[in-house]
Amino acid sequence: MATPVIDTLTGERAGKAAPAPRNGGRFSVHFAHYKWLYLLLLPGVVYFAVFRYAPMYGVSIAFKDYVPFLGVNGSPWVGFRNFEDFFANPDFPRLLGNTLILAFLNLGVAFPLTIILALLLNEVRLSILKRTVQTLVYIPHFLSWTIVASLSFLLFALDIGPLFQFLNNVMGTHIDFLSDPAWFRPLIVLQEIWKNTGWGTIIFLAALSTVDQDQYEAAIIDGAGRFRRVWHITLPAIRSTIIVMLILAIGQMLNTGFEQIYLMTNALNREVADVFDTYVYFVGITQGAYSYSTAVGLFKSLVGIVLIFGTNWLAKRFNQSGLF
Amino acid sequence: MIRRKLSLAAAVVTATALSLTACSGGDTPAADLTSVSIMAPFLEAQPPAADGAVQKKLEELTGKQVKINWAPNASYEDKTNITLAGSDLPQVMVIQGKTPGFVKNAQAGAFWDLTDKLDKYPNLKTTFPDIQKNASVNGKVYGVFRGRAPMRAAVMFRQDWLDKLGLQPPKTTEDLYKVAKAFTEQDPDGNGQNDTWGITIPKWGALGTNSPYDLIEEWYGAGNRWTERDGKLVPSFETDEFLEADRFIKKMVDEKLINPDFATFDSTKWNEPFFNGKGGIIVDVDSRVSVLINLFKQADPNNFQNKVGFVGNLEGPDGKLHAHPTDGYSGFLAVPKGSVKTEAELDKVLAFLNSMNGKDVAILLNNGIEGVNFKVEDGKAATIKPETPEGKAVTTDIKSYAQLGMNVAGNEFYPVKQPSDYEQQVFDKRTEVMAEDLKSAVYNPAAPYVSATYVAKGAQLDNIVADARIKYLAGQIDEQGLKDAIKLWDTSGGNKVKEEINKLWQDNK
């Protein structure tokens, strides 16, 4: 029963790609046959069309000089001028650099840590301890960035923060974590780790629970130690999960977290803190340059798409199943 | 998050555009104006109820049905733009300032030009033509400005500390340094520990926002945003006085007379170090004096006098007083062309605004309803005690309704009677000091002018200098670095801004 369904579906797809009249008849037969399935599909299509695709119409203001009074249709077209302005702007290399550095730091440090934490949790044999630790590491995920930023300010504040005092009194160093540009990125990555590492382990733990226990027993008989077992059994078993999560993470990579960065930015660290998201807010909302900031946002999305396709392609090249 | 907001806005725009084409021609011709719709911001947690006592009284006094669309202050600018793109426009819109978005819309023809119209209405004819000009876009008046006290700058200090150390209130910037130094080094709270500082400054970077930095620079003679030098207008930060003032502030930072976390300190906690006896001086608007006094009063109702002292603007090193005024207005009430289509209709709307500007309405919007929440005592509005639920509701509502007040001929409502003699004295002294300082006010000569380049990228440009100023004060860059940043402002588009502003200034002279 299942095979003909797939066959007809592929047939229909080919028909759509090259709309030849002779396929028309075949399609209506096909449609009549599966009309209830198509009806089931309809709400989903409508949802995406109305709430995901229709608003994309607004993206056209990236190619216009948008004046709200004139509306999207009435505003004059300016072609690629907004993009030219952005690429010629001295802010551009700095923004691109800051965004990419932060993105790769988050990916390079926070992502492996999630896997390591999941492996560590997986090795805990005492189930009550495991569950307690799991619950505790999930909690920070539910705090808003505003709270995380406030906590950081309390901990690291100049003169009164406990961490500042500790370093000052015990180590004799005098570091202004909150405004020293050199400390901005470490702080952001630390916050990200603290907030989201625990939450990120959920999927890996689920994948780990499916690993065949017999393999471990066999490995123990062969004399494999704990690290060997992790390296040769656990990691290969969850490899495809890691790849999928990595592709997803890379797709989200440029969304550097507007709130987090906005809250931690000040005049002294802005040079390293400005990223696409905060720039779009600053230029778009506070200055009313809607067209220009939409162009910046669109550029960011393009970079994101290139990254996600690139990773997917790489994953396939290395003989792993990609995302699509 | 922002992109989502933008796409939402775009969706709204699309939807309204569709409905516009669907029902074009459905507009009812406003033969006689029976109701007026107004869009206004509210700053309280909740907008006033549509059937409140203030609303009823307002309709009674103006003789019109008044429909007010309250929008939260935080997203008011967005809401303005979305409303302008739609078809359902109010007849009167409160515009909060000459933001780039507003200027673009105005120049595209979204609002009536009221330049030659306002003088025909007795209550709309301003007694402050300079402020009306400040609120204009290159001389074109697009709205009835909302007048605000132009002189507000003050230096507040711990009076008890000053008395303990036997010091006099500061009169000059040099005095400010001396008091700050004494507050830092001479243990003004007498706990035997070196745990106090002079001036508290919060995270506050942007140029020309009446920040403590702006005030001290103006006192040094750098001018108010723009200043005339050799027959040309230049930005304040291109003067020698600006550098001198920043050198002075940096000296105070280096000597730890200013809180070390001035670049990151949260401005909502500004009062805390003052109240807790950590930092003894605040440079800000004079209304903070009552806020500070109230803090001490709440903590100890029997002994709160003589904790807070204040003076107005300070004399600069040249021995002159360059007092810092604001532009004297806080946005304006504009009439969109999309809802008011003909001159005849415009006249009716302006007649309504004229009645809104009468003394009786001014009292309603700012004091409330006499006999319900206030009574008049020696020409002042005193709160009726004990407060009735009706009175409380009126007092809460007018905090929002005051947003509709224009007061283009000065405040015609009653001054508020302070709850105690001491507070009344302080209030009277504030009024006196501000009136005295107003005589030495140095205004922004470029306030009425809007340069096209500045509309396009002014905020980014200003950020270059604003950030450099903070970096210089924190010691991240030296004076040469600050000068380089000012040069970068010039070359990144500032020269164009200067050119445009000077041309506008010359043409309108």
Side-chain angles (χ1 to χ4, degrees), chain A residues 69, chain B residues 80 84 89 93 95 101-103 105-114 141-143 332-338:
Chain A
F69 168 65
Chain B
T80 311
L84 277 173
L89 281 160
M93 276 175 103
I95 300 291
F102 167 75
V103 173
N105 278 311
Q107 289 177 339
F111 301 99
W112 282 96
D113 180 353
L114 308 177
V141 178
Y142 285 109
F332 29 82
L333 275 70
V335 185
K337 280 187 182 165

Side-chain angles (χ1 to χ4, degrees), chain B residues 363-422:
Chain B
I363 290 171
L364 171 69
L365 298 178
N366 294 282
N367 298 123
I369 302 170
E370 194 171 345
V372 176
N373 74 318
F374 80 96
K375 56 179 187 277
V376 182
E377 276 177 21
D378 355 303
K380 296 191 180 74
T383 312
I384 294 177
K385 300 267 178 181
E387 281 182 273
T388 58
E390 295 82 34
K392 265 190 192 158
V394 169
T395 308
T396 311
D397 278 2
I398 57 171
K399 283 180 189 163
S400 296
Y401 280 96
Q403 292 294 318
L404 300 174
M406 291 158 271
N407 313 311
V408 291
N411 293 347
E412 290 182 282
F413 51 88
Y414 302 108
V416 175
K417 190 174 167 66
Q418 302 297 311
S420 72
D421 286 348
Y422 167 71

Side-chain angles (χ1 to χ4, degrees), chain B residues 233-250:
Chain B
L233 291 187
V234 293
S236 300
F237 52 77
E238 296 197 344
T239 63
D240 294 336
E241 290 89 341
F242 175 88
L243 291 174
E244 251 174 74
D246 280 12
R247 248 176 256 145
F248 168 72
I249 306 172
K250 181 160 171 54

